[in-house]
Amino acid sequence: MSMFYANSSFRADVLELAPVTRPVVGTARVPGSKSITNRALLIAALADGPSTLTGALFSDDTRYMAAALNQLGIQVVGDEIAASFTVQGGAGVIPATSADLFVGNSGTSMRFLAAAVALGHGTYRLDGVPRMRERPIQPLLEALNQLGADAVSEAGNGCPPVRIVAGGLRGGQATMAGNLSSQYLTGLLMAAPYAREGVTISIEGELVSTPYIEITVDVMDAFGVEAEIDTEGWRRFHVAPGQRYRGRIYHIEPDASNASYFFAAAAITGGEVRVEGLGIDALQGDLDFVDVLEAMGAEVAMSEGETVVRGPRDGVLRGGDFDFSAIPDTAQTLAAIAPFADGPVTIRGIAHNRLKETDRIAAVARELRKLGQEVEELPDGMTIHPRPIIPADIETYDDHRMAMSFGVLALRAPGVRILDPECVAKTFPDYFDRLIAIAGTERR
């Protein structure tokens, strides 16, 4: 077991997979959800008493979160072999009175920690890689200031680095735009029980990625705190004061976003892939990706404990027009298998994907064009017109989802090489090993 304070990794330059010679069949082993792991780590850190998180993800993003919590004086010990974290809860107290936190390109760590340190008493700075310094956080900072914090973007551009001078969070009412990221709201909700006056948040405009808010509320409830939400209009959220998280043993389900790649592999090879631990009661909205595959001709079977996807025998999917506003992290998965459809594939509702690890709309369109595809880029998505695939080197832009998505495409397309494949360490360090194993292929 080890305490987390730093992260380093070796980055390979290029990966080429031999195209599969058979349908992809088997049970995919998918590690714990990144979204749930980082929520549970933060909530456990604020809880009364110790917590053990089982089925947890060990990746760059979760290591940044664990390291930051240790810097803040809250002990987090990880056992990677057992896939568990033990967290000594701080009872709503941030022990450190100053900290300079580095979170790489982990959006969840940046947004969740920015809200949490506002509960402390001192000065806290949060920073990341150059791309993180381009990712907006101003709506969260403005909301924190409305609730009594002193939070600023050091560069004055609404992006990290962020400096927060805290004297405990007063709470009260805040209004915040919801069209850029649901992670701002999640950060506020998780910190809200320890605000002196409780917290009421009103959302202006459309709130994106609402299934992630449902995850937040579910994890909060599991640790003993109730958040009141308006699920009809997604406009008002309230956390009453005086509530406290209670430490517990908490199990984290497999990552539905990462499961999407294995389901997609089954769909384009006429195979059958099973993922255990993700079923009809799953917390993550990204499991709805299988509904898209079903609409494109795959068969889906779901029970309490697992989900199974069977692809069309010929591996040819139907085209279609799909709204991915609720499941944006799986949009790249669909884009990467669109060349195997029998007609155009349109992906809509993902304008905020331009603000993620890279501009995921522009980047995907650029790389698909290298592969000979005709792509119309839209303000909130794209339309892909399938064409014969030509070999190309795929840039990944230090974006784990670019590498994982195009890795699936490479299973059926010779000469597709993934550059910087090790960027998958952000959320799924051994992704390619697991993909190769279930696909029965090899590295070239």
Side-chain angles (χ1 to χ4, degrees):
M1 292 195 296
S2 58
M3 215 175 275
F4 288 95
Y5 290 98
N7 176 69
S8 62
S9 61
F10 172 75
R11 305 287 282 265
D13 292 332
V14 63
L15 172 69
E16 182 179 355
L17 300 179
V20 297
T21 57
R22 62 166 176 80
V24 174
V25 176
T27 298
R29 297 185 304 110
V30 180
S33 162
K34 181 260 293 189
S35 297
I36 299 176
T37 299
N38 268 0
R39 283 164 172 79
L41 279 169
L42 193 283
I43 287 173
L46 296 174
D48 293 348
S51 294
T52 299
L53 312 179
T54 63
L57 173 66
F58 282 75
S59 70
D60 287 355
D61 277 20
T62 60
R63 287 187 175 92
Y64 281 127
M65 174 64 85
L69 292 172
N70 276 316
Q71 281 184 255
L72 292 171
I74 297 165
Q75 187 183 85
V76 178
V77 177
D79 184 340
E80 189 163 356
I81 294 175
S84 70
F85 285 104
T86 300
V87 184
Q88 301 299 325
V93 174
I94 305 295
T97 56
S98 67
D100 195 342
L101 307 176
F102 182 81
V103 298
N105 202 12
S106 174
T108 55
S109 299
M110 174 62 70
R111 282 77 178 257
F112 299 174
L113 288 164
V117 298
L119 301 172
H121 291 78
T123 300
Y124 309 92
R125 185 176 184 273
L126 295 90
D127 198 3
V129 299
R131 175 59 182 172
M132 179 60 74
R133 291 187 170 194
E134 298 173 345
R135 299 178 68 179
I137 196 171
Q138 190 64 27
L140 175 57
L141 303 183
E142 291 175 357
L144 286 170
N145 290 336
Q146 293 173 57
L147 298 173
D150 178 3
V152 299
S153 162
E154 286 188 351
N157 62 354
C159 299
V162 168
R163 187 180 73 254
I164 298 174
V165 180
L169 197 59
R170 183 195 69 237
Q173 298 191 21
T175 300
M176 183 176 63
N179 64 320
L180 297 182
S181 175
S182 65
Q183 292 173 2
Y184 308 148
L185 178 57
T186 283
L188 292 174
L189 290 174
M190 291 193 297
Y194 298 94
R196 293 188 292 275
E197 300 176 9
V199 171
T200 299
I201 305 163
S202 299
I203 298 297
E204 290 183 335
E206 180 186 4
L207 177 62
V208 298
S209 304
T210 53
Y212 286 94
I213 300 302
E214 294 178 311
I215 293 174
T216 302
V217 172
D218 282 335
V219 180
M220 290 173 65
D221 181 69
F223 282 81
V225 168
E226 180 182 1
E228 303 169 29
I229 64 173
D230 166 24
T231 55
E232 288 190 10
W234 298 96
R235 288 286 185 268
R236 185 180 181 277
F237 303 81
H238 176 69
V239 179
Q243 301 186 77
R244 302 182 72 84
Y245 297 119
R246 297 185 299 273
R248 55 162 293 176
I249 298 172
Y250 182 76
H251 181 69
I252 295 161
E253 67 189 27
D255 193 296
S257 306
N258 288 342
S260 74
Y261 309 114
F262 298 96
F263 293 140
I268 65 169
T269 64
E272 177 177 316
V273 167
R274 170 181 284 98
V275 174
E276 297 173 345
L278 281 176
I280 56 178
D281 295 325
L283 297 183
Q284 300 162 83
D286 278 358
L287 188 56
D288 289 347
F289 177 75
V290 300
D291 295 337
V292 176
L293 294 179
E294 190 170 43
M296 297 178 78
E299 296 179 16
V300 176
M302 190 178 294
S303 65
E304 280 192 15
E306 67 179 24
T307 297
V308 180
V309 171
R310 301 179 186 91
R313 288 189 178 181
D314 60 3
V316 178
L317 302 173
R318 292 193 292 267
D321 193 323
F322 304 99
D323 182 352
F324 268 60
S325 57
I327 54 171
D329 279 351
T330 61
Q332 284 152 294
T333 316
L334 178 57
I337 63 173
F340 306 108
D342 63 5
V345 174
T346 297
I347 305 169
R348 302 184 187 275
I350 57 169
H352 54 292
N353 271 18
R354 295 187 182 278
L355 304 173
K356 301 251 183 177
E357 283 80 348
T358 188
D359 179 339
R360 286 179 167 171
I361 295 174
V364 168
R366 187 179 301 119
E367 300 312 308
L368 284 173
R369 290 182 185 121
K370 286 184 185 178
L371 294 167
Q373 306 307 295
E374 181 183 336
V375 184
E376 300 173 48
E377 189 174 330
L378 310 172
D380 71 335
M382 68 191 77
T383 296
I384 302 156
H385 300 268
R387 300 288 185 265
I389 297 172
I390 61 176
D393 286 357
I394 300 301
E395 297 282 353
T396 52
Y397 307 88
D398 201 22
D399 183 349
H400 56 133
R401 301 208 182 282
M402 290 292 293
M404 289 190 279
S405 297
F406 282 90
V408 175
L409 178 147
L411 294 178
R412 277 194 55 187
V416 175
R417 304 198 315 161
I418 309 299
L419 306 183
D420 188 21
E422 298 302 319
C423 67
V424 299
K426 187 175 194 296
T427 58
F428 200 160
D430 61 346
Y431 166 73
F432 282 108
D433 290 337
R434 298 193 191 196
L435 183 66
I436 288 168
I438 195 171
T441 186
E442 60 185 15
R443 299 170 187 259
R444 281 187 166 173

